[in-house]
Amino acid sequence: MGYRADIASGRIAFSHLIRMWHARNGWSHRVLPSLSEHFDLGRVHTSQLSMLRNGKLASPGPEVFLALGGINRWLSEQAPAGQFDPSLLQVTLAGHPELIDALATGADAVLDPQGGVLGAGDLLEVFVGLRPAPPAFNLSVKEEEAATLSAALADLLTAGRPWRQCRDELLAAYPVGRRGRRERFAAVMAGQQEYGATDLEAELPDLRRTLAQLGGKGTAEIGPERFLELLRNRANSRADTAYTQLQGLGDLASAIRRELAAG
């Protein structure tokens, strides 16, 4: 595989990284450009960020990676657990209420599996295909499979039990404190909603931690790629079972008549 293929694959990996970084933190596309301007870390425009998210920016300048790497390092230093001290935000970002609100919602940095923060050079290496994106930021879900994966996820975490019987246990295991994400998680577990592809990609690291918390010994060792594979296998198994059952039942009207006759 030549350098062109490396760059092409790197651009795709970087687009996943940028999308998941935004999705995990609940940021709009204005947050990173505004932070880079406020701290004078480099320069990245909203249009550039949009093209990076879609894998369409072929040759971003060094100031883009300086900006993203500088912001990432600042997040890791000032919000090591992905949460800022509110008083620090009020001082550091005085006069920028929209940034204060955004970072109060989410402030996760991009880290490698060992917990190291990715700087400008590391991000550039991801973009040109010289290093993979961190596994937690490099999981690709297709839109057409998101619904079945959501159902498989709910089936796995509830162990097939009704939501009302395991609601408290699941919500206690889900490690996210943000209200909107907790409500969405509860709705997906109850079968009332589904994750979209981008949302599911962003949620996978925390969903994997939820599984580890619920499953106990052995589940903590399941890596991001294995977790996604597990969900896909479960989704396929559910689809095969449902097809077999439907074949046996025939059409809905016939099934209803059989139920009435049995009653």
Side-chain angles (χ1 to χ4, degrees):
M1 186 169 67
Y3 77 91
R4 291 183 180 85
D6 288 338
I7 291 175
S9 64
R11 193 186 308 168
I12 293 171
F14 198 80
S15 72
H16 287 315
L17 185 153
I18 293 295
R19 287 205 307 271
M20 291 188 67
W21 196 12
H22 280 75
R24 289 191 67 181
N25 288 313
W27 291 341
S28 75
H29 64 285
R30 298 184 181 90
V31 172
L32 291 175
S34 297
L35 284 172
S36 68
E37 182 178 358
H38 177 71
F39 291 115
D40 195 25
L41 295 171
R43 179 172 295 180
V44 56
H45 298 293
T46 54
S47 59
Q48 291 175 308
L49 203 58
S50 176
M51 293 178 72
L52 284 171
R53 287 167 62 107
N54 294 312
K56 295 181 178 179
L57 188 60
S59 54
E63 66 276 4
V64 170
F65 296 102
L66 287 173
L68 297 178
I71 293 168
N72 196 44
R73 192 168 298 281
W74 177 73
L75 289 173
S76 71
E77 293 171 352
Q78 302 299 322
Q83 295 289 329
F84 272 101
D85 179 341
S87 61
L88 175 64
L89 283 179
Q90 294 293 335
V91 173
T92 307
L93 297 173
H96 297 276
E98 71 287 350
L99 288 178
I100 292 173
D101 290 344
L103 294 178
T105 300
D108 287 338
V110 180
L111 306 176
D112 65 25
Q114 290 72 45
V117 59
L118 270 65
D122 303 310
L123 293 172
L124 174 59
E125 288 184 351
V126 173
F127 183 81
V128 298
L130 291 180
R131 67 178 289 170
F137 290 85
N138 194 28
L139 301 173
S140 178
V141 174
K142 297 177 181 177
E143 195 62 52
E144 57 267 25
E145 66 176 342
T148 57
L149 290 178
S150 296
L153 174 70
D155 188 53
L156 173 64
L157 295 184
T158 62
R161 294 176 296 170
W163 167 241
R164 63 182 178 275
Q165 292 183 8
C166 51
R167 177 183 182 277
D168 292 343
E169 189 176 359
L170 260 68
L171 288 177
Y174 184 59
V176 177
R178 297 161 204 161
R179 180 178 177 182
R181 286 180 61 187
R182 291 184 68 82
E183 290 176 348
R184 182 75 181 279
F185 171 75
V188 172
M189 292 300 100
Q192 298 170 349
Q193 292 185 20
E194 300 161 349
Y195 285 123
T198 301
D199 292 333
L200 185 54
E201 288 173 354
E203 285 283 349
L204 282 172
D206 290 316
L207 293 171
R208 187 168 62 92
R209 285 193 282 271
T210 304
L211 176 65
Q213 181 70 22
L214 291 168
K217 186 177 180 180
T219 54
E221 286 72 40
I222 297 176
E225 298 93 340
R226 174 69 184 114
F227 181 54
L228 185 54
E229 180 186 3
L230 179 68
L231 290 181
R232 286 187 171 125
N233 290 340
R234 196 173 189 90
N236 290 334
S237 177
R238 283 169 52 86
D240 291 342
T241 301
Y243 178 78
T244 301
Q245 291 174 341
L246 285 173
Q247 289 293 98
L249 288 174
D251 63 89
L252 180 60
S254 298
I256 292 174
R257 287 194 294 271
R258 281 196 297 272
E259 290 296 319
L260 291 173

